[in-house]
Amino acid sequence: MQHKNTSRYGAFLFGLGVAAISIVGNFAPVFAATTDASLETLPADSPLLAQAAPDRCRRSVVPEGLNIRAQPSLTAAVIGLVGYLQTVNLSTLPATVNTVGGINWVQITLSNGATGWIANGAPGTGGNVLPCTTVVNPTPTPTPTPVTPAGTCRLVRSPIGGGLAIRATPGGNLVGGVANGQTITLANPPVTRVVSGRQWLQITAPVSGWVSNGQPGSSGNLGNCP
């Protein structure tokens, strides 16, 4: 009789164990929520953030280039130079900007790890540096406009006498002459000297030398060719 009761009790306990395992298996584990925000962030230098971080690269769009200064000031020491269309890296994101003397100064990081400052123009302007992803059309180098032969031609119209003397140097030895109504050709580019109160112009024709164009401020001895 006692053996039968023991068997029934053992069977009851075994059944409870199977039921408990079945219940646990049907539920996902539950963890307490955390209020510690630091557990949800990553360090600023984490490789996981590097790929998603906005690009710090900036490109200079100033044809003359930009000075890199030790401090945000036009009087601060120059420690480097950023050439036209060359790139720099911002030291922080968003950019560290300091407005001094009506100029926005942007802090950058140099190749040696030090920081410097470049002028990014006045507040509200487009700036001197743009994101490196911005397409920039290089500014063409202006071609100097040479003085054309017509631009070097002058008509002799001396109000005193019948023409002008041509001299080897301003006020020097006589090497020729040119009558009123005739033309001379100025040196290219023009060369002017003031000697003994007279303005002298260098010419290349009809012979090389110098002619007087009168006193500075006067109407002169020459006019434009027709």
Side-chain angles (χ1 to χ4, degrees):
M1 188 67 165
Q2 184 178 0
H3 175 72
K4 185 180 294 186
N5 289 337
T6 300
S7 298
R8 290 179 178 178
Y9 182 73
F12 174 76
L13 293 177
F14 177 80
L16 287 177
V18 172
I21 294 172
S22 176
I23 292 173
V24 172
N26 291 331
F27 286 89
V30 178
F31 297 97
T34 177
T35 59
D36 188 352
S38 65
L39 298 179
E40 303 301 323
T41 62
L42 291 171
D45 57 353
S46 170
L48 296 178
L49 291 179
Q51 295 179 353
D55 195 356
R56 298 186 182 189
C57 180
R58 295 294 182 270
R59 189 184 306 278
S60 167
V61 293
V62 178
E64 298 80 9
L66 292 171
N67 285 324
I68 304 174
R69 297 186 180 271
Q71 299 295 330
S73 170
L74 290 175
T75 60
V78 176
I79 59 176
L81 176 69
V82 183
Y84 181 51
L85 297 183
Q86 290 185 343
T87 61
V88 295
N89 290 318
L90 300 178
S91 60
T92 61
L93 280 176
T96 299
V97 180
N98 196 336
T99 303
V100 178
I103 300 175
N104 282 339
W105 293 87
V106 179
Q107 190 179 55
I108 63 172
T109 300
L110 307 181
S111 58
N112 61 2
T115 57
W117 297 82
I118 57 176
N120 198 30
T125 62
N128 296 331
V129 292
L130 299 176
C132 292
T133 53
T134 303
V135 177
V136 179
N137 294 322
T139 302
T141 302
T143 302
T145 303
V147 179
T148 62
T152 62
C153 180
R154 293 294 184 270
L155 180 69
V156 177
R157 53 170 195 175
S158 174
I160 301 174
L164 294 175
I166 303 174
R167 300 187 179 275
T169 60
N173 294 331
L174 187 67
V175 295
V178 56
N180 282 340
Q182 293 183 340
T183 61
I184 60 171
T185 302
L186 300 177
N188 185 6
V191 180
T192 304
R193 298 283 188 273
V194 177
V195 178
S196 301
R198 289 183 176 274
Q199 184 183 57
W200 294 85
L201 302 179
Q202 189 177 34
I203 66 172
T204 59
V207 295
S208 296
W210 295 78
V211 296
S212 170
N213 196 31
Q215 296 178 343
S218 68
S219 59
N221 298 326
L222 304 171
N224 293 326
C225 293

